[in-house]
């Protein structure tokens, strides 16, 4: 069993900043992929930023230059620094991790989601 615990969501004015954090815990042998997705009502869930298994980073075009993903491997944690926020960034943000469990097998886990609201 693996769980992802998210924190840092909230409401800010346009141009403001938020910092999201996600900590993975449980029966973890190895994390192959860990990052953030977002979803607005009526839209598909889409990738925001993540670390690949080779530790390279990927970003959605819409957030490049504004968001920065970082990690602390010892804590199984990823953070998303969100600067210069825009109203169109408003969404539920979900932590996601592809995990090799200590019991065997590889699984994708999702956090419960945290609301980010940017007012104009």
């Amino acid at each position: 069993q693996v769980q992802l615990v998210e924190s840092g969501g909230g409401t800010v004015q346009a141009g403001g900043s938020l910092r999201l954090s996600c900590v993975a815990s449980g029966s973890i042998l190895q994390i192959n992929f860990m990052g953030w997705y977002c979803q607005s009502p009526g839209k598909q869930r889409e990738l925001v930023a993540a670390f690949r298994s080779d530790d390279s980073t990927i970003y959605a075009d819409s957030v490049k230059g504004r968001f920065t993903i970082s990690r602390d491997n010892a804590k199984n944690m990823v953070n998303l620094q969100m600067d210069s926020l825009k109203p169109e960034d408003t969404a539920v943000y979900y932590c996601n991790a592809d995990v090799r469990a200590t019991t065997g097998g590889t699984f994708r886990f999702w956090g419960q989601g945290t609301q980010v609201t940017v007012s104009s």
Side-chain angles (χ1 to χ4, degrees), residues 8-74:
T11 301
V12 297
Q13 294 183 339
S17 297
L18 287 172
R19 185 175 177 86
L20 307 184
S21 295
C22 176
V23 178
S25 62
S27 303
I28 300 170
L29 180 63
Q30 181 180 357
I31 298 178
N32 300 312
F33 174 100
M34 194 169 183
W36 295 91
Y37 288 72
C38 69
Q39 186 168 26
S40 300
K43 298 182 179 180
Q44 296 184 53
R45 189 172 298 185
E46 61 184 27
L47 179 69
V48 177
F51 284 95
R52 295 188 177 99
S53 59
D54 64 357
D55 294 331
S56 64
T57 56
I58 49 177
Y59 291 92
D61 288 341
S62 61
V63 307
K64 289 179 179 177
R66 298 189 299 120
F67 293 6
T68 304
I69 191 167
S70 60
R71 72 193 305 180
D72 184 337
N73 290 332

